[in-house]
Amino acid sequence: MNVGVSAKNVDILATNVDFSAKEPTMTDVDMAASLLDEIIGQRGVRETIKSMLERAYSELSKRNGAWTRRRVRAVFNKEASRIENREIEEMKAILDGRREQAAYRAETARIAALAVVRAKAQDCGEL
């Protein structure tokens, strides 16, 4: 019985293996914790972790009642053994909603500023 590997086979095996360094990929748990950090937003200097997590829980539970305080804490501490796709999608939806609301407010402020400029121009008789 021949158990050894010939030199020819070693060359073939060596060409099939890629030893290049791969970029580290973000796991689902890391992604969920990152999204949760964005949902929490800026933290006050003296704000406790408990109040931050309560704020995140409040937003997430409005979207889906399946969220619990324990689940939010597990995601925050990266203790969750698995992350469901719906959880990531719900967190992304909250962040997208915030972006849309910010864009709406910016556009509304821009239109209001134009209205003020136009009103002043009419008062001065420039239009």
Side-chain angles (χ1 to χ4, degrees):
M1 184 188 252
N2 189 357
V3 188
V5 178
S6 68
K8 182 179 178 184
N9 288 340
V10 169
D11 290 337
I12 292 171
L13 292 175
T15 58
N16 291 338
V17 177
D18 181 22
F19 292 108
S20 63
K22 304 270 190 234
E23 291 184 24
T25 57
M26 183 179 265
T27 65
D28 289 343
V29 174
D30 292 332
M31 184 185 338
S34 175
L35 290 171
L36 189 60
D37 284 340
E38 287 183 54
I39 288 173
I40 290 171
Q42 289 187 334
R43 176 182 178 206
V45 174
R46 295 181 183 219
E47 185 177 12
T48 62
I49 301 287
K50 187 174 182 177
S51 66
M52 290 178 4
L53 296 178
E54 184 63 30
R55 193 171 63 235
Y57 166 74
S58 175
E59 287 191 48
L60 290 166
S61 64
K62 284 179 194 174
R63 185 139 184 95
N64 185 347
W67 282 94
T68 62
R69 288 177 177 87
R70 179 177 283 200
R71 183 65 179 168
V72 171
R73 189 176 62 238
V75 170
F76 179 78
N77 293 328
K78 297 182 182 181
E79 296 170 344
S81 60
R82 64 177 171 69
I83 302 293
E84 295 178 11
N85 186 49
R86 72 156 179 88
E87 293 171 333
I88 289 178
E89 292 302 317
E90 288 166 0
M91 287 188 274
K92 285 181 180 179
I94 288 172
L95 294 172
D96 289 342
R98 283 186 184 172
R99 285 186 205 102
E100 289 173 8
Q101 180 68 17
Y104 172 77
R105 285 183 179 176
E107 181 66 14
T108 303
R110 186 185 70 78
I111 291 170
L114 286 175
V116 168
V117 168
R118 185 174 200 153
K120 283 184 182 181
Q122 285 178 347
D123 288 345
C124 294
E126 294 177 6
L127 282 180

